[in-house]
Amino acid sequence: MKHVKNEAYSYVKDMFVQHNMIKRIVLSFISIIIMGLGISLFSVSGFGVDPFTSMNMNIASTLGIGFGTFQLIVNAVILLYVVIVAHRGLIGVGTAFNMVGCGYACEFFQKLIEPMVRNHFILAVRVPLLVAGIIILCFACSLFFTANIGVGPYDALGFMLSRGVKLDYKWVRVITDIIVILIGLAVGGGIEAVISLDFSLIKNIGLGTVITAFCMGPLINVFNKRVSSKIFNVDYEDLSRKVAFFMIKGAMVRNSVPLHTVKIKVNQSADPYTVSFSGNQG
């Protein structure tokens, strides 16, 4: 019980040592609402959604439960694994916002927008919805990243697997995206649709899925540099280096070092950063 209390205290302490923490929390929460809007525009456009969302939407539809509720359940399971295995640095208040809010925000906006375009479901309407979804989602992801108070459970899982299999995060993400797409296809009847060449039966997977999986990175970086870093008044290049180091190495340090090791020294002048440990408990 004492260990749990110490961990909880450390989580809170880690979060609130950051500059402008209240501003980060508020804008992180707003970014999740905007993210839900962007994903809903993707979905309503009929061009598919991001890989993780496509799996969750297809399974939720098959089970007959709400997308927001199912995504919350899946995120909670992933988060439990990350908390047990990873350092608390991967987790923050932003993780909770992402876990709980993204699915429900998407569900809310989709129910709001879908009736408006139901009778006008033509390319002249669908393409602008897709473009708007791309821009809005990229901005929301940029805002969430720059707030730097935790990553989404699915992203955290990618970092954990990257460390476990000794493979670059970007390749792990490609592999996990392909896996969740295949799961969504299997559950939603998409495999049969592919075999029969009736692609109209495929649900929540399409051009939008490809765009979110492979093409959004550069646009998110533009928003990071030109918009979000100015909103938070941070050095984007410095933030990128610190986050990359912390997520891939620093957040994993505790579990890779003997428990009796107590002192950690980070040499940030080195390239790449090096971590050295010294000092033992008696």
Side-chain angles (χ1 to χ4, degrees):
M1 189 65 182
K2 184 178 179 180
H3 172 72
V4 174
K5 288 182 179 179
N6 288 339
E7 283 292 295
Y9 171 75
S10 297
Y11 271 89
V12 175
K13 184 179 178 182
D14 284 353
M15 287 193 296
F16 284 91
V17 295
Q18 295 194 60
H19 178 63
N20 285 337
M21 193 59 200
I22 300 301
K23 180 179 180 180
R24 290 173 184 270
I25 290 175
V26 172
L27 289 177
S28 178
F29 177 78
I30 292 173
S31 75
I32 294 301
I33 304 300
I34 300 173
M35 203 176 294
L37 173 60
I39 296 172
S40 70
L41 290 172
F42 264 105
S43 181
V44 172
S45 74
F47 285 110
V49 291
D50 66 274
F52 185 57
T53 301
S54 70
M55 179 190 74
N56 291 334
M57 282 186 169
N58 284 343
I59 296 177
S61 176
T62 302
L63 295 177
I65 63 177
F67 161 66
T69 300
F70 182 78
Q71 180 142 309
L72 173 59
I73 294 170
V74 173
N75 279 333
V77 172
I78 294 174
L79 185 61
L80 179 62
Y81 166 76
V82 172
V83 168
I84 292 173
V85 178
H87 184 275
R88 61 179 175 268
L90 284 171
I91 311 302
V93 66
T95 308
F97 291 158
N98 186 291
M99 179 179 73
V100 178
C102 194
Y104 286 116
C106 173
E107 204 171 18
F108 170 78
F109 285 116
Q110 188 165 344
K111 289 179 180 178
L112 196 67
I113 298 170
E114 205 163 30
M116 301 179 187
V117 300
R118 187 174 297 152
N119 298 325
H120 307 281
F121 202 61
I122 55 176
L123 282 179
V125 174
R126 294 174 62 199
V127 172
L129 286 173
L130 176 64
V131 173
I134 292 171
I135 295 172
I136 291 172
L137 185 57
C138 286
F139 169 65
C141 290
S142 170
L143 200 63
F144 183 76
F145 167 81
T146 312
N148 191 25
I149 52 173
V151 302
Y154 184 61
D155 298 313
L157 178 64
F159 285 115
M160 293 301 305
L161 294 176
S162 174
R163 176 179 180 262
V165 300
K166 304 289 192 297
L167 192 64
D168 286 348
Y169 172 75
K170 63 181 179 180
W171 296 116
V172 171
R173 186 58 181 260
V174 169
I175 293 169
T176 56
D177 282 349
I178 292 173
I179 290 172
V180 296
I181 287 173
L182 291 176
I183 293 173
L185 275 171
V187 173
I191 293 178
E192 291 84 351
V194 171
I195 293 173
S196 64
L197 299 180
D198 189 356
F199 299 108
S200 63
L201 298 176
I202 297 177
K203 302 175 183 177
N204 303 310
I205 298 172
L207 177 62
T209 310
V210 175
I211 291 173
T212 54
F214 299 105
C215 307
M216 283 176 51
L219 185 53
I220 291 174
N221 282 334
V222 170
F223 276 115
N224 286 341
K225 295 177 182 178
R226 306 297 181 189
V227 181
S228 299
S229 60
K230 291 179 173 56
I231 292 175
F232 288 102
N233 192 27
V234 296
D235 182 341
Y236 168 68
E237 299 296 339
D238 182 57
L239 174 66
S240 297
R241 288 192 298 270
K242 288 180 178 178
V243 169
F245 165 74
F246 186 68
M247 292 299 182
I248 297 173
K249 292 185 179 179
M252 312 301 177
V253 160
R254 186 183 64 179
N255 292 318
S256 61
V257 180
L259 294 176
H260 61 272
T261 306
V262 295
K263 292 183 180 179
I264 300 176
K265 182 180 179 182
V266 179
N267 179 8
Q268 296 189 9
S269 63
D271 188 19
Y273 295 149
T274 59
V275 182
S276 59
F277 302 89
S278 62
N280 299 319
Q281 286 182 328

